[in-house]
């Protein structure tokens, strides 16, 4: 093999290695910055169960809507009050933390705009489903709608 071709292959391999390291640093930075945001924000209430927790930072008195877990059975009945925004994922900074391998670190968010609730997928690997339809852009979230994230199904209740 000509020496110039080997040099080009070495440089390509080195470039790929640098891209890999940059990707790892980006992932670590995202995890650290989400933890820092959680530490600066309101303190969370202690978890009732290891798989989900409720954030006391949500303003439950301003909204009568709740996100109630329907499935799996071990989390059934857990309820999370909704305010202007609520994030769902595995990361510690999320208001609803789900211990599920099919849930991304920052999976989805539920937010209010002009008095209407919306649900949005945040680029998750396995998707977010509202009433069995995949969410690809912000979608109106109404009472009685079912949100599936990983193996957890939640319903919007009043």
């Amino acid at each position: 093999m000509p020496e110039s071709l080997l040099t080009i292959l070495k440089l390509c391999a080195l470039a790929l290695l640098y891209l890999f390291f940059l990707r790892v640093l980006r992932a670590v930075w995202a995890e650290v910055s989400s933890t820092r945001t959680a530490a600066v924000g309101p303190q969370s209430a202690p978890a009732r169960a290891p798989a989900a927790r409720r954030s006391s930072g949500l303003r439950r008195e301003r909204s009568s809507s709740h996100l109630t877990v329907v499935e799996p059975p071990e989390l059934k009945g857990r309820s999370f009050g909704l305010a202007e925004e609520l994030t769902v994922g595995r990361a510690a900074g999320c208001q609803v933390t789900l211990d599920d391998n099919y849930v991304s670190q920052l999976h989805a968010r539920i937010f209010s705009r002009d008095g209407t609730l919306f649900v949005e997928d945040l680029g998750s690997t396995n998707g977010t489903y509202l009433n069995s339809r995949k969410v690809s852009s912000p979608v109106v979230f109404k009472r009685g709608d079912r949100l599936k994230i990983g193996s957890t199904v939640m319903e919007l209740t009043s």
Side-chain angles (χ1 to χ4, degrees):
M1 220 182 247
E3 183 135 348
S4 60
L5 181 60
L6 287 174
T7 303
I8 291 172
L9 288 174
K10 286 179 191 176
L11 290 174
C12 288
L14 188 60
L16 287 174
L17 185 64
Y18 277 113
L19 285 173
F20 171 75
F21 283 129
L22 287 174
R23 185 107 169 136
V24 169
L25 286 174
R26 186 175 145 216
V28 169
W29 180 257
E31 187 67 30
V32 168
S33 63
S34 72
T35 304
R36 183 180 303 144
T37 303
V40 172
Q43 295 297 318
S44 296
R48 291 185 180 176
R53 84 169 172 246
R54 166 183 274 171
S55 173
S56 62
L58 296 174
R59 285 172 248 150
R60 288 180 291 276
E61 67 277 0
R62 292 184 62 193
S63 174
S64 62
S65 296
H66 286 65
L67 196 59
T68 305
V69 177
V70 177
E71 293 176 20
E74 59 269 10
L75 298 178
K76 188 173 183 173
R78 299 258 191 304
S79 185
F80 304 92
L82 297 176
E84 282 82 33
E85 183 171 306
L86 178 111
T87 54
V88 182
R90 284 189 321 197
C94 294
Q95 285 81 25
V96 179
T97 304
L98 300 173
D99 186 22
D100 184 341
N101 290 334
Y102 294 102
V103 175
S104 298
Q105 291 291 319
L106 198 55
H107 196 100
R109 79 177 180 132
I110 300 165
F111 62 97
S112 176
R113 183 177 298 148
D114 298 325
T116 304
L117 283 173
F118 292 88
V119 63
E120 175 183 31
D121 185 80
L122 297 175
S124 66
T125 305
N126 295 308
T128 301
Y129 295 87
L130 182 64
N131 298 326
S132 301
R133 291 191 181 138
K134 190 168 186 173
V135 174
S136 56
S137 63
V139 178
V140 175
F141 193 26
K142 300 176 289 212
R143 286 192 172 97
D145 284 351
R146 289 194 171 204
L147 182 67
K148 184 172 192 248
I149 297 176
S151 61
T152 304
V153 178
M154 297 173 274
E155 185 175 324
L156 186 61
T157 59
S158 49

